[in-house]
Amino acid sequence: APNLKPSNVCTNDELQLNDAATRLKWILQHTMGAPRAFENRRQEVALLSGSPVESVDDNAVVESFRACVEAGSDGLLLEYLLQSKLAVHLGQGLI
């Protein structure tokens, strides 16, 4: 969508903040169709660490997302992407 840019959908406060958490929240909501993903990940981080949800800050959530795609860490999403095929050519079609 040509009009889908942060300046069209974010508040002035969000635009001024412009940190990793704000950018990630925007990406998840507006480009990936996952508006609850950031808060869901916060709950997951809390559960896995045995901490109350309120004690998990935005930076911990961002780091959790990063860890999924970082080489040399657990990087489950990175490993999945490295092993997967984004498209397969079958006959005359591309799937």
Side-chain angles (χ1 to χ4, degrees):
N3 291 327
L4 185 60
K5 51 188 176 179
S7 61
N8 290 346
V9 295
C10 293
T11 66
N12 284 334
D13 289 340
E14 290 170 328
L15 290 171
Q16 292 298 319
L17 189 55
N18 194 26
D19 61 359
T22 302
R23 289 191 303 270
L24 180 56
K25 289 175 187 178
W26 187 87
I27 290 167
L28 291 167
Q29 180 173 358
H30 297 286
T31 67
M32 299 183 79
R36 293 183 304 274
F38 194 89
E39 292 307 317
N40 289 346
R41 181 63 67 95
R42 184 187 313 274
Q43 291 177 7
E44 179 181 16
V45 170
L47 180 67
L48 292 174
S49 67
S51 304
V53 173
E54 302 79 31
S55 71
V56 177
D57 66 9
D58 285 356
N59 291 332
V61 178
V62 169
E63 288 308 311
S64 173
F65 273 100
R66 281 187 181 147
C68 286
V69 294
E70 267 183 2
S73 68
D74 190 16
L76 293 174
L77 182 57
L78 175 62
E79 185 61 30
Y80 172 79
L81 292 172
L82 291 172
Q83 299 298 321
S84 66
K85 294 184 189 258
L86 296 179
V88 176
H89 194 221
L90 294 175
Q92 294 186 5
L94 185 62
I95 300 174

